[in-house]
Structures are given as structure tokens and as C-alpha cells.
Amino acid sequence: MSRLDHFIARMVSQRASIDFAVAKTAHLDGPVFELGLGNGRTYDHLRSRVEGRDIFVFERAIASHPDSTPPEGRVILGDVHDTLPAALKRFGPTASLVHADLGGHNPAKNDAFARAISPLVEPLLAPGGLMVASDRMYFDALEDVDLPEGAILDRCFIYRKPG
Ligand SMILES: C[S@@+](CC[C@H](N)C(=O)[O-])C[C@H]1O[C@@H](n2cnc3c(N)ncnc32)[C@H](O)[C@@H]1O
């Protein structure tokens, strides 16, 4: 698989998985958390799909396209190792959907990062809430969810908090 193939597979999988997860959690009213704003493409997609739920974006340094920059008050600025525990104190276990795309180009580093933040993400989800991640996560109590049509195995991962 070329790097272009790999990139396209990740994008196509993100879109299919986000659309699936937004629909499956539409009955929940808790906030949506976007971890990693980057250029803002997935944030822009999320906000075009989510209705009636607040979207908060976690990012250490805003560098998004101006059209895809969240409003002040909806950005939680800082390193997720610090901001996710702070979010648990602020929001409790209420998130209806968490989307994470925090990784870079080094698979081993991405895996270590995913292991480190999994226990920080898990308690944020409301019962029935979903997490969509670009890297495999390491949860104790969340269930694996089958990928929807259009998403490619191992390019995206979906997890659900029972309840
Ligand atoms: C791959 S980009 C996200 C791309 C985005 N999904 C899009 O569609 O444009 C990853 C982002 O995660 C952010 N990030 C990485 N590690 C982080 C950390 N420890 N805390 C907060 N943000 C982090 C980076 O600054 C970067 O903007």
C-alpha cells in the first residue's frame, strides 16, 4: 500500500466511522469531543453532522484552516494528558461521542500514546457513548464495535461504553 493509499484509506474510514457514530449516538444529548483539531477537517465534518449537541475540541496548539476553527469557549487548549482528566471533573461521564485523531507518522509512538490516553478517555463516555479512533485503543470496559460499510479494517476503530 502506498502512502497515498494509506492516507485515502484513513480519510474514507474516518468519514464512514464518524457518520455511523453520529447516527448511533443521536439519541444522547451529552457533548461530542474532538481530540486533535489539526487542519480542522474532521471537526468541520463533525459539526456538519451533529445536531443539538455541543462539540468541544481538544488541541495543544491551534493551527486549523480559518473556516474550520472552533469558537472560543469550545476549544480546550493544552496537552490531552492534562486536559482529559480536567474534562472528567468538568463534564463527568457524559460524552456521547469522542473522536480521536491525535497520531503522527510513527506507528510505535502512536501505539504508546493510545495506551497512555485510553484510561483518560474511557471514563468520559456516557453509557451508550461511542469512541471513534484512528489508532487501536486499550480499554478495560468498552466493547469493540464492528466497522460500518465503507470503513477499512485497522484504519479506524470504534468502541462503545455498555449501558
Ligand atoms: C493528525 S492531526 C488531526 C487532524 C484532524 N483530524 C483533521 O482532520 O484535520 C493531530 C492533531 O493532534 C494534536 N495533538 C497531538 N498530540 C496532542 C496532545 N498530546 N495534546 C493535544 N493535542 C495533541 C496535534 O497538535 C495535531 O493538531
Side-chain angles (χ1 to χ4, degrees):
M1 208 186 218
S2 71
R3 286 186 53 217
L4 180 62
D5 290 333
H6 201 278
F7 178 77
I8 291 168
R10 186 161 68 93
M11 297 298 106
V12 164
S13 300
Q14 277 182 341
R15 184 179 55 191
S17 299
I18 288 172
D19 287 349
F20 169 84
V22 168
K24 289 287 180 194
T25 57
H27 62 292
L28 300 175
D29 57 9
V32 174
F33 293 156
E34 166 80 330
L35 311 185
L37 177 64
N39 183 281
R41 290 188 191 99
T42 50
Y43 165 69
D44 186 51
H45 192 72
L46 266 174
R47 73 179 174 181
S48 77
R49 295 293 192 269
V50 169
E51 282 173 23
R53 290 183 268 173
D54 294 335
I55 304 176
F56 291 88
V57 179
F58 294 66
E59 174 58 60
R60 62 184 166 198
I62 302 292
S64 49
H65 188 284
D67 290 348
S68 305
T69 300
E72 238 184 273
R74 291 295 167 80
V75 178
I76 298 181
L77 202 58
D79 191 304
V80 291
H81 293 94
D82 304 319
T83 55
L84 290 173
L88 183 59
K89 286 189 188 144
R90 176 176 170 187
F91 296 98
T94 60
S96 55
L97 170 59
V98 179
H99 171 248
D101 183 21
L102 290 158
H105 298 299
N106 182 323
K109 276 192 186 169
N110 292 347
D111 187 58
F113 189 64
R115 286 178 190 272
I117 68 158
S118 290
L120 308 181
V121 171
E122 184 165 341
L124 286 167
L125 281 172
L130 293 181
M131 168 160 204
V132 174
S134 297
D135 295 295
R136 182 182 302 284
M137 304 297 284
Y138 297 89
F139 295 122
D140 289 334
L142 304 195
E143 303 160 343
D144 290 351
V145 175
D146 289 341
L147 292 180
E149 199 181 326
I152 296 157
L153 200 63
D154 290 343
R155 297 279 74 84
C156 221
F157 301 85
I158 306 179
Y159 304 92
R160 181 178 183 276
K161 183 172 265 190

